[in-house]
Amino acid sequence: MTSRPTPAAAGAATAQPAPLAELRGISKFYGSIRALEGVSLRVDAGQVTCVLGDNGAGKSTLIKIIAGLHRHDAGDLLIEGEPTRLASPRDALARGIATVYQDLAVVPLMPVWRNFFLGSEPTKGAGPLRRMDVGLMRATTHRELLRMGIDLRDVDQPIGTLSGGERQCVAIARAMYFGAKVLVLDEPTAALGVKQSGVVLKYVAAARDAGLGVVLITHNPHHAYLVGDRFVLLKRGVMAGSHARSEIALDDLIRDMAGGGELEQLSHELERIPPTEAPAVPAARTEG
């Protein structure tokens, strides 16, 4: 005779793992200016959380809080279920949160391998003979980029010679190599064409499939819907919506981001007035 699991054991078996990162009611004020208020989102392993909004919606402030650049004024920031206040970007990196900014912070004239290890160069030798392990850096860079599907013939070429999409992919591969659990991407496709945007989204999906939790900041709902599992809409610092992919269609996401009801009201205001209802225009007076 087999015994049934107790309710507590059954609950433990079905319990969901804690999110890699979670924001609960986060607010940030700069004096009397509200940058964010009551914003919540969660980042799960193997999922892409998209944060959408126009300029001034609060996306940049949200990035700075997750990256450890700014501290939140209210609400809770949890890393793997543990409430925390990030002291600096280095603190965020130590906790597995890597942020790839739109400008990428690369040195264009330095080779790809040098940018890949910038600030974290491995060394060999000791004392006065200690030096950078260039061979290891070259081999590692080529291998890690190949894992992402980027087959560079020469990792010694200046990173500035790569396309915008390829530079983004190098930054993503670098974050993955250095142990990131949460990858925050700041408008990675904003300055790219359709083809290069597709390349970047392909590597966003690769990071997701590798088990990372990805936060994709974007103003492009089409790009977000291609890879997103969850969508958070920001408008003037507050949440305008939060939806799982199964709960919203692309057309509805575009409508909500564009202002939905406000656009409908504007369209009514801009409708042409039928000639029969148009007010009469008084005839011009002529002077004789």
Side-chain angles (χ1 to χ4, degrees):
M1 180 177 178
T2 57
S3 59
R4 293 184 179 181
T6 62
T14 58
Q16 295 293 322
L20 296 177
E22 185 175 11
L23 278 65
R24 296 178 181 172
I26 289 290
S27 298
K28 179 66 181 177
F29 298 89
Y30 299 99
S32 60
I33 299 174
R34 178 192 70 186
L36 286 178
E37 187 171 7
V39 174
S40 299
L41 64 84
R42 58 181 288 157
V43 186
D44 290 301
Q47 290 200 347
V48 179
T49 299
C50 298
V51 180
L52 300 103
D54 289 326
N55 293 335
K59 303 190 302 296
S60 295
T61 302
L62 185 68
I63 291 173
K64 291 172 182 175
I65 291 173
I66 298 175
L69 277 168
H70 291 177
R71 291 192 175 190
H72 52 285
D73 296 321
D76 296 306
L77 170 61
L78 295 88
I79 306 297
E80 295 184 303
E82 177 187 349
T84 187
R85 295 181 73 85
L86 297 172
S88 66
R90 188 172 293 277
D91 187 17
L93 277 170
R95 294 172 178 265
I97 300 175
T99 303
V100 178
Y101 293 99
Q102 190 173 341
D103 58 11
L104 294 180
V106 297
V107 183
L109 295 180
M110 281 188 176
V112 175
W113 63 265
R114 190 74 169 84
N115 277 277
F116 191 91
F117 281 93
L118 196 61
S120 302
E121 295 85 352
T123 59
K124 61 182 179 180
L129 298 178
R130 188 177 180 185
R131 60 203 183 279
M132 290 193 303
D133 194 340
V134 175
L136 175 63
M137 286 189 279
R138 283 180 175 144
T140 301
T141 300
H142 186 269
R143 183 185 69 243
E144 294 303 313
L145 293 180
L146 198 58
R147 283 181 55 194
M148 294 286 290
I150 307 173
D151 187 9
L152 291 183
R153 289 172 299 183
D154 184 10
V155 294
D156 281 305
Q157 67 187 93
I159 198 168
T161 63
L162 302 183
S163 68
E166 287 172 329
R167 289 196 296 271
Q168 285 280 354
C169 298
V170 170
I172 293 172
R174 181 184 191 278
M176 293 175 63
Y177 174 74
F178 283 103
K181 297 179 182 177
V182 175
L183 181 62
V184 184
L185 301 172
D186 174 23
E187 299 275 8
T189 62
L192 303 179
V194 175
K195 185 176 181 180
Q196 288 297 318
S197 294
V199 170
V200 173
L201 293 175
K202 173 183 170 184
Y203 297 120
V204 170
R208 174 200 65 199
D209 294 342
L212 276 70
V214 181
V215 180
L216 176 63
I217 312 292
T218 182
H219 65 271
N220 190 318
H222 295 277
H223 293 170
Y225 205 78
L226 284 171
V227 294
D229 298 288
R230 188 178 291 111
F231 308 98
V232 174
L233 281 73
L234 294 182
K235 183 177 181 182
R236 297 175 187 172
V238 299
M239 292 180 65
S242 179
H243 310 280
R245 183 186 180 87
S246 60
E247 299 171 347
I248 190 167
L250 175 58
D251 289 345
D252 294 327
L253 184 64
I254 295 171
R255 179 182 180 277
D256 288 355
M257 186 178 170
E262 294 179 8
L263 282 181
E264 289 182 3
Q265 181 179 351
L266 180 62
S267 67
H268 290 309
E269 294 175 1
L270 298 179
E271 284 180 355
R272 291 180 179 274
I273 302 174
T276 55
E277 299 178 14
V281 179
R285 296 179 59 185
T286 59
E287 294 183 3

